[in-house]
Amino acid sequence: MEVSELRQILPAGQPAYRADQVYRAIYHQKISDLVQISNLPAKIRTELASNAELGLPVADHIYQSTDGTRRYLLRLADGRTVETVLMPEEDRDTVCISSQVGCPVDCKFCMTALMGLERSLTAGEIVGQVLFVARDNNLLEDSKRFNIVMMGMGEPLLNLPNVLKATRILVDPNGVGTSERRITVSTAGIIPRIEELGKAEIRPKLAISLNASTEESRQALMPITRKWHLSDLMDVCKAYPLRPWERLTFEYVLLRGVNDTDADARRVVRLLANLNCKVNLIALNPGPGIPFETPLRERVASFQEIVRRSVPCFIRKPRGLDIYAACGQLKRNN
């Protein structure tokens, strides 16, 4: 809930600032129980706690990687579960959160796609992942940078109202208190929702899963492009209203012998010509049920070398491979 909604559930006759106190306690102070809101009168605390629930997820299981990554299987109020991943580094922490239970976008190289879609998350369930991981690891309490990437389970732009509401809470100084510059949402390319996202006053940065250099190849790997074509996607990217500090990110999962040739790299350069953007290359993270192979290291390096002559291009280091926490691997694996 945002402040205006919290006002509706407080006992009648309470001053407006009480809702602000509740809001700050939940999101900024990250309380674990409504009765802990110490600046509320005891009667209000008791009444609030008896009529409302905090709604934080519960950890079903926590998987620890040898590289420091943690994968959380979080249980929601209805018993469904989502995956959330913490990737700590020396100078920053990154939490990868889910926007849906499962995913309706049938990308052929992603394990989450094998689940299908169970349901979309509420704004509270999206923010709740951040609050849970932050409290479990004492994050947001020091000077380290804290990044949030909506790149877990789901297609965020097919749950855009809740994603935008969650973003408002996450960036509010009285809420979680992070920055729009530190939140990124990744989409397979839902063109009408990209346009809608660009009109939002408060919004995350935009990353687009490209993963192919031709219409035919992208349709085979990402069936959603049969509805929203690659050429139209490039047009909407050119029209996207970037903020002065912002650039688009394009993610490209490299599949051995499928989309990783030098010719593919050159076509990617032509596709992205005249866009203010960067490219993140991801060598396929393998998993059961995925009919592709990881490309050779030298093939990835060659692809990068061609692209970065024209566009900033980076190779994303996989994190948490040993616990199925890497990009494309989230599927409730034990």
Side-chain angles (χ1 to χ4, degrees):
M1 290 184 172
E2 295 179 275
V3 172
S4 60
E5 296 167 304
L6 286 170
R7 289 185 186 128
Q8 304 304 312
I9 68 165
L10 285 174
Q14 293 301 317
Y17 70 82
R18 293 294 186 205
D20 296 283
Q21 290 176 317
V22 175
Y23 180 85
R24 185 173 176 83
I26 293 171
Y27 298 118
H28 200 79
Q29 298 168 4
K30 298 184 286 295
I31 59 163
S32 58
D33 194 314
L34 291 170
V35 297
Q36 295 175 342
I37 309 176
S38 58
N39 54 353
L40 285 182
K43 183 180 179 182
I44 298 177
R45 268 184 281 165
T46 302
E47 189 170 342
L48 187 63
S50 64
N51 294 322
E53 294 181 5
L54 194 56
L56 284 172
V58 176
D60 251 21
H61 202 96
I62 302 174
Y63 303 86
Q64 182 68 50
S65 170
T66 54
D67 67 14
T69 300
R70 285 187 180 180
R71 176 167 68 93
Y72 291 83
L73 183 65
L74 298 179
R75 183 165 297 279
L76 308 173
D78 66 353
R80 297 182 189 272
T81 55
V82 291
E83 304 261 20
T84 305
V85 178
L86 172 66
M87 293 165 281
E89 296 184 57
E90 204 169 292
D91 61 339
R92 66 182 180 272
D93 297 302
T94 300
V95 61
C96 177
I97 62 175
S98 297
S99 56
Q100 296 180 306
V101 183
C103 185
V105 182
D106 189 23
C107 298
K108 302 304 181 183
F109 48 83
C110 180
M111 289 174 61
T112 311
L114 301 175
M115 293 175 57
L117 177 67
E118 296 184 17
R119 70 169 174 84
S120 290
L121 300 185
T122 66
E125 290 168 336
I126 295 170
V127 176
Q129 296 170 73
V130 177
L131 294 177
F132 184 97
V133 173
R135 197 176 63 195
D136 192 53
N137 296 274
N138 294 315
L139 307 180
L140 295 168
E141 306 299 334
D142 54 30
S143 59
K144 285 176 70 175
R145 291 182 294 166
F146 184 74
N147 297 326
I148 300 166
V149 293
M150 297 188 192
M151 299 181 182
M153 289 178 165
E155 166 52 67
L157 296 199
L158 291 178
N159 188 21
L160 186 56
N162 286 316
V163 163
L164 289 176
K165 183 178 181 181
T167 301
R168 292 195 298 270
I169 294 169
L170 289 168
V171 306
D172 188 340
N174 290 317
V176 178
T178 188
S179 163
E180 290 172 90
R181 297 174 184 239
R182 298 285 178 212
I183 307 176
T184 303
V185 63
S186 177
T187 178
I190 316 297
I191 289 174
R193 297 293 177 267
I194 293 174
E195 294 171 326
E196 189 177 340
L197 176 69
K199 296 174 183 176
E201 183 179 354
I202 296 173
R203 64 177 194 263
K205 295 186 297 184
L206 178 61
I208 295 166
S209 293
L210 186 58
N211 306 321
S213 65
T214 67
E215 186 79 46
E216 182 182 24
S217 176
R218 199 166 190 268
Q219 284 189 15
L221 296 173
M222 304 174 69
I224 197 168
T225 202
R226 295 170 192 166
K227 183 173 183 179
W228 290 295
H229 302 302
L230 180 57
S231 58
D232 297 328
L233 178 61
M234 291 299 101
D235 287 341
V236 81
C237 287
K238 290 172 185 173
Y240 191 77
L242 292 171
R243 290 158 287 194
W245 46 265
E246 185 178 15
R247 61 181 173 180
L248 293 171
T249 297
F250 288 90
E251 299 155 325
Y252 195 102
V253 177
L254 291 159
L255 311 172
R256 186 171 182 175
V258 176
N259 65 352
D260 64 344
T261 67
D262 288 354
D264 281 301
R266 287 190 288 269
R267 283 192 292 266
V268 166
V269 169
R270 289 195 292 272
L271 278 172
L272 306 185
N274 303 317
L275 283 173
N276 181 10
C277 68
K278 68 174 182 177
V279 176
N280 285 335
L281 300 179
I282 306 163
L284 175 72
N285 298 310
I290 302 301
F292 300 105
E293 296 179 0
T294 304
L296 299 175
R297 186 175 298 177
E298 53 266 31
R299 182 93 300 277
V300 177
S302 178
F303 199 102
Q304 181 195 30
E305 182 59 31
I306 292 169
V307 173
R308 72 179 177 186
R309 293 172 194 160
S310 304
V311 181
C313 183
F314 307 91
I315 298 172
R316 271 178 51 183
K317 178 183 176 183
R319 297 290 303 271
L321 278 172
D322 57 331
I323 56 169
Y324 283 95
C327 183
Q329 289 189 322
L330 301 183
K331 187 181 168 286
R332 298 178 183 151
N333 292 286
N334 295 323

